[in-house]
Amino acid sequence: MDRNQLVGIVLILAMLVGYQLLVPKPAPEKQAAQKTQTTKPTSESGAEAAISKAELPLDSAVARARFGDFATVATGENRDIVIENKDIKVTFSTHGGRVKEVLLKNYKTYDQKPLVLIDEKSSKTLLELPTNHGKVDLHTLYYQSTTQSGTVTGQAQQIVFQAEIAPGQSVEQVYTVPAEGYVIDYDLKLNGLNNTLANENIRFFWEDKMRQYENDLANNRRAATINYLTADENFEKLSEGESNQEATLEEPVQWFTIKHKYFLSGFVAKNSPMPKADFKTLVDPADSSVVKRAVADVTLPMSDVKSGKAQYKFFFGPNDFQLLGDVAPEFDQNVYLGYSILKPINKYFFVPVFNFLEKFISNYGLLIVALVVFVKLLLTPLTYRSYVSMAKMRVLAPEINEIKERVGDDMAKQQSEQMKLYQEVGVSPLSGCVPVLATMPILFALFMLFPNLIELRQKPFLWAHDLSTYDAFITFPTLPFIGGHLSLFTVLMTASSIAYAYYNNQTTPTQPGPVNMKALSYIFPLMFMFVLNSYPAGLTFYYFVSNIVTITQQQLIRRFVDEGKIRAVLDDNRRKNASGQGKKPGGFQALLQKQLAAADEARKQAEEAQRKAKQKK
């Protein structure tokens, strides 16, 4: 492994370690109006108090005093209506005309229990209507519905909830459940109530005590957040991590989602965006039963309600990139695909290739093997160039050692003499570095992609029960840097990395310098083991297979590279350059040679000045 390759590895290590150190820490939000909350509120907000008050029983006098014209629908029958399709089971309630519970039929929790995304215990909502006599929570009223429980087949099914205030005056909430999928359309209608309404927007408050669906609570908390899209289509989110966060926006919002690691509960405005929004994620470290408490407090335009354009969508489903594109603009950004420079690699290459391979390979461990082989075949030209570059360095090793013996420990002169040698034989010092640097975006893209691939969730392979999380092959009391488990796939990845380093060190000449690069090539894999021990087994398995394939690939390439022919080519270049027939160096090599020549000239001048100073003495 030459110095250029090791520089690439150092860069990878620096970014991975930096990612580990920086991700858990909340970063300031971009919006100027946002502010970070670092302490948990100890008192109930107005919406929370209103929800608690709404749960108390009412008599007619209290109902009249509290609800005014809406008192006629402040009491009634509480009936559940269960509607399901092939993907979700939704329970609606006539008390509030609201979504009471959502069960995702195709998924289980980490301990194989039914995955209930929201229910009455975890999720509370308030839909506050401003009237001339005060504010009324529409989710505390009682509605009538002729819909019966059942399964949606064929066409989508509408569930209409109507609360008749007086003859010709009513509130309607209309839900449309499709025959498949996770999007529920929602329309809010106020019939004949224009004279009753105040000139304010409607308030929609949603609090969700996010449940734990994956095995690693700390990782769940780091991933849980609220995402949202502003009216000018800027995707934003509350900072991920294990601290409290808050964002108060004065600009309109098109949609927001309460995001678990792999699942979403979202609300989308079809027409006019929500004029104002306040989002919070609150963490109680002492409460392990709740991942985070997510609070969304937004306003819905009254003008849309009066004009019959109060149309929205609920999304209750998996955070699956393939499903989100059609929900709303930029909705697929809920799946984090890496930094902006890496996102196109995942979005336009790895995700489509992964989903293509899914059609033919049902075992996800074998699918990862196929993905490695496919990527390595595409990168074969770069691997070949890198190997040829190392072969050239091996051929030149005796001459480089001779330079070192001749000039001694003068590093500047060593580098200058080496550049002259490279120019004589037509070798670029970057020829081995460029292929390595070109593969770095692939490594980074996969590092960002695998922890967010729901396709790997609860997919077993060998001893790993779930490729989307670490394989706890051995568990023990929590230790610094490594945690309370040891991942066998990470150990195998480390062993294969050391084997690859050993193989390279046997075929790569020692480079001059104050640092023993060959020794570092064994240390880096051990450091990576601590970094990746808690990362998904699918990622470390990919890196393990990638190392094995790379060693095999280089063994095959070695059979086609004749170092004797390389020596002949270098000698021929030397003769041509000596006779003036060779190509002049260009690009970076020429610039570097110029700089080294200038440094050499400066060194000679300094030595001459010292010599003259000694003569004067």
Side-chain angles (χ1 to χ4, degrees), residues 462-497:
L462 298 178
W463 56 84
H465 300 294
D466 185 349
L467 288 172
S468 71
T469 187
Y470 56 80
D471 55 308
F473 189 74
I474 301 175
T475 58
F476 40 76
T478 302
L479 298 175
F481 303 108
I482 197 167
H485 69 276
L486 185 64
S487 165
L488 183 55
F489 277 133
T490 304
V491 172
L492 291 175
M493 178 203 71
T494 303
S496 65
S497 297

Side-chain angles (χ1 to χ4, degrees), residues 282-299:
L282 310 172
V283 180
D284 182 0
D287 186 0
S288 60
S289 65
V290 176
V291 174
K292 280 184 181 178
R293 187 160 64 97
V295 177
D297 195 349
V298 302
T299 58

Side-chain angles (χ1 to χ4, degrees), residues 387 554-562:
Y387 185 87
Q554 291 200 358
Q555 289 286 354
L556 293 174
I557 291 174
R558 187 175 184 177
R559 298 176 181 272
F560 296 94
V561 176
D562 188 337

Side-chain angles (χ1 to χ4, degrees), residues 73-87:
V73 289
T75 58
E77 179 189 6
N78 186 0
R79 180 169 66 92
D80 289 346
I81 302 172
V82 180
I83 304 295
E84 57 184 302
N85 62 19
K86 62 185 291 291
D87 299 309

Side-chain angles (χ1 to χ4, degrees), residues 32-62:
Q34 285 183 286
K35 54 186 179 181
T36 302
Q37 177 178 318
T38 57
T39 59
K40 181 177 177 179
T42 56
S43 61
E44 283 188 313
S45 68
E48 292 167 311
I51 291 173
S52 299
K53 187 177 180 181
E55 295 172 350
L56 298 175
L58 297 173
D59 57 33
S60 58
V62 173

Side-chain angles (χ1 to χ4, degrees), residues 308-519:
K309 295 181 180 179
Q311 298 174 335
Y312 305 93
K313 294 179 183 178
F314 285 100
F315 180 86
F316 301 106
N319 195 23
D320 187 339
F321 187 82
Q322 299 300 310
L323 299 176
L324 302 183
D326 296 331
V327 176
E330 304 298 327
F331 206 74
D332 56 9
Q333 290 208 49
N334 282 291
V335 180
Y336 182 65
L337 296 179
Y339 305 124
S340 57
I341 193 172
L342 301 175
K343 184 177 178 180
I345 299 174
N346 283 327
K347 184 175 182 178
Y348 300 111
F349 178 73
F350 277 114
V351 171
V353 170
F354 195 95
N355 283 276
F356 174 77
L357 293 175
E358 275 186 310
K359 298 177 181 178
F360 306 98
I361 305 174
S362 59
N363 184 297
Y364 280 77
L366 298 180
L367 188 152
I368 290 174
V369 173
L371 182 63
V372 171
V373 172
F374 179 70
V375 171
K376 287 297 182 182
L377 286 175
L378 290 180
L379 296 178
T380 295
L382 293 178
T383 305
Y384 180 82
R385 286 188 58 187
S386 179
Y387 185 87
V388 170
S389 174
M390 288 191 295
K392 290 179 180 178
M393 297 303 295
R394 285 196 298 273
V395 169
L396 294 175
E399 296 182 60
I400 292 175
N401 291 333
E402 188 275 331
I403 290 174
K404 184 178 180 180
E405 294 176 0
R406 175 161 47 86
V407 303
D409 295 330
D410 189 335
M411 297 302 300
K413 194 167 184 179
Q414 279 189 38
Q415 293 291 339
S416 177
E417 292 296 324
Q418 283 184 25
M419 289 306 303
K420 291 178 183 178
L421 174 63
Y422 295 152
Q423 181 184 358
E424 288 176 3
V425 298
V427 172
S428 171
L430 290 181
S431 60
C433 183
V434 171
V436 174
L437 292 177
T439 61
M440 285 176 61
I442 301 294
L443 297 177
F444 286 129
L446 288 168
F447 181 76
M448 300 295 181
L449 176 65
F450 270 79
N452 297 291
L453 269 181
I454 194 173
E455 287 87 346
L456 295 179
R457 185 178 184 271
Q458 297 185 356
K459 296 299 189 297
F461 182 65
L462 298 178
W463 56 84
H465 300 294
D466 185 349
L467 288 172
S468 71
T469 187
Y470 56 80
D471 55 308
F473 189 74
I474 301 175
T475 58
F476 40 76
T478 302
L479 298 175
F481 303 108
I482 197 167
H485 69 276
L486 185 64
S487 165
L488 183 55
F489 277 133
T490 304
V491 172
L492 291 175
M493 178 203 71
T494 303
S496 65
S497 297
I498 292 174
Y500 178 58
Y502 177 80
Y503 167 77
N504 268 343
N505 288 340
Q506 303 310 303
T507 57
T508 303
T510 302
Q511 296 294 310
V515 180
N516 189 336
M517 292 296 184
K518 288 189 175 181

